[in-house]
């Protein structure tokens, strides 16, 4: 039986979908709507700096970013293959999409740590 990476890629895709559906709307609501409208006060820069200085917060943000990148890569891969009819280049498209996700994850990790 030949083993493939497909189950793991689908796992990252589903994890990214859950994160994108649960975490990102809350962040957009807080920082994109409620704080600019004055419903909530903006946190002080020192408070945000102290929060971002904690290792667990950085790690959580890194997980959110990486899972969302893999979700996007998986969706772009299969959408482009289906809509453009270029499934015969699956390996190249997969390398480009997931390679971009890995590169984005490395950049995010580099910025956060």
């Amino acid at each position: 039986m030949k083993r493939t990476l497909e189950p793991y890629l689908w796992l990252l895709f589903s994890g990214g979908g859950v994160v994108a559906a649960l975490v990102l709307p809350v962040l957009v609501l807080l920082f994109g709507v409620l704080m600019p409208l004055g419903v909530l006060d903006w946190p002080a820069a020192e408070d945000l700096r102290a929060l971002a200085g904690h290792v667990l917060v950085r790690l959580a943000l890194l997980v959110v970013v990486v899972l969302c990148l893999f979700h996007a890569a998986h969706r772009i891969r299969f959408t482009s293959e289906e809509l453009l009819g270029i499934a015969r280049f699956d390996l190249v498209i997969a390398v480009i999409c997931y390679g971009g996700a890995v590169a984005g994850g490395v950049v995010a990790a580099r910025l956060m740590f």
Side-chain angles (χ1 to χ4, degrees):
M1 176 192 254
K2 184 179 178 184
R3 294 183 182 227
T4 65
L5 288 176
E6 285 295 320
Y8 303 108
L9 296 174
W10 279 100
L11 180 67
L12 289 171
F13 170 74
S14 63
V18 168
V19 166
L22 295 179
V23 175
L24 293 182
V26 173
L27 292 176
V28 169
L29 180 67
L30 287 175
F31 291 100
V33 177
L34 296 178
M35 290 180 190
L37 292 177
V39 176
L40 294 176
D41 292 332
W42 285 95
E46 296 173 3
D47 294 338
L48 284 178
R49 192 172 298 121
L51 183 65
H54 198 275
V55 173
L56 290 179
V57 172
R58 289 182 183 189
L59 189 62
L61 288 174
L62 180 64
V63 167
V64 168
V65 168
V66 168
L67 286 177
C68 287
L69 286 172
F70 271 97
H71 181 80
H74 201 75
R75 187 171 294 275
I76 290 170
R77 173 187 172 194
F78 284 102
T79 301
S80 64
E81 287 180 5
E82 293 294 325
L83 289 181
L84 302 176
I86 53 175
R88 63 183 177 274
F89 302 115
D90 179 54
L91 182 62
V92 175
I93 295 170
V95 168
I96 290 171
C97 290
Y98 298 124
V102 169
V106 169
V107 169
R110 182 84 175 136
L111 290 174
M112 290 186 197
F113 293 102

